[in-house]
Amino acid sequence: MKVAGLGFRKDVTLASLREALLAAGGPDGLAAMATVSDKADTEPLKQLAREYGLPIKAVSADMLAGIETTTQSKLVVEKFKTGSVAEAAALAVAGPRARLIATRVVSQDRTATAAIAEGDGA
């Protein structure tokens, strides 16, 4: 099971989310997209999910806390207690033995990040 994790700012655009996802490896073979639960209902994310025919999996901030990530953002560590929302969300949804196959990439406008994990599901 491959899962794309997405982290983004509230002013993110569909184009920025798409750019980050494509830079991480694209939608081919993905089973779902994942993000922190308070952003799962964001319109650009829902548009991206519809575009690729993928479900959005919401992950609570508590569940993200403590997940070890390859990349580290000081701001994300302070707010979510993990280094990357994108990486942590992908790992959480892909399952307990999941591994990252694409570490966090950032859109050119710096409003969106994406990472892809592979695992056997949660």
Side-chain angles (χ1 to χ4, degrees):
M1 167 184 213
K2 280 174 46 177
V3 177
L6 296 156
F8 51 91
R9 295 185 181 168
K10 64 182 172 186
D11 60 341
V12 74
T13 64
L14 171 59
S16 294
L17 286 169
R18 186 186 303 116
E19 176 193 330
L21 178 59
L22 291 173
D28 290 347
L30 292 178
M33 295 188 304
T35 195
V36 65
S37 56
D38 67 348
K39 292 187 177 182
D41 203 34
T42 303
E43 193 56 38
L45 179 64
K46 292 193 305 186
Q47 291 172 347
L48 187 69
R50 282 192 301 270
E51 185 176 304
Y52 294 125
L54 294 169
I56 298 168
K57 303 291 185 176
V59 183
S60 72
D62 288 345
M63 210 172 151
L64 296 178
I67 294 178
E68 285 192 38
T69 60
T70 302
T71 65
Q72 299 287 310
S73 162
K74 184 178 178 191
L75 179 68
V76 172
V77 170
E78 289 171 4
K79 186 171 182 179
F80 294 102
K81 309 296 185 251
T82 188
S84 164
V85 168
E87 291 179 8
L91 288 166
V93 172
R97 290 182 297 280
R99 64 182 178 83
L100 287 174
I101 57 174
T103 58
R104 175 187 66 166
V105 293
V106 183
S107 63
Q108 287 187 339
D109 67 5
R110 313 221 27 99
T111 63
T113 63
I116 298 178
E118 189 170 52
D120 54 10

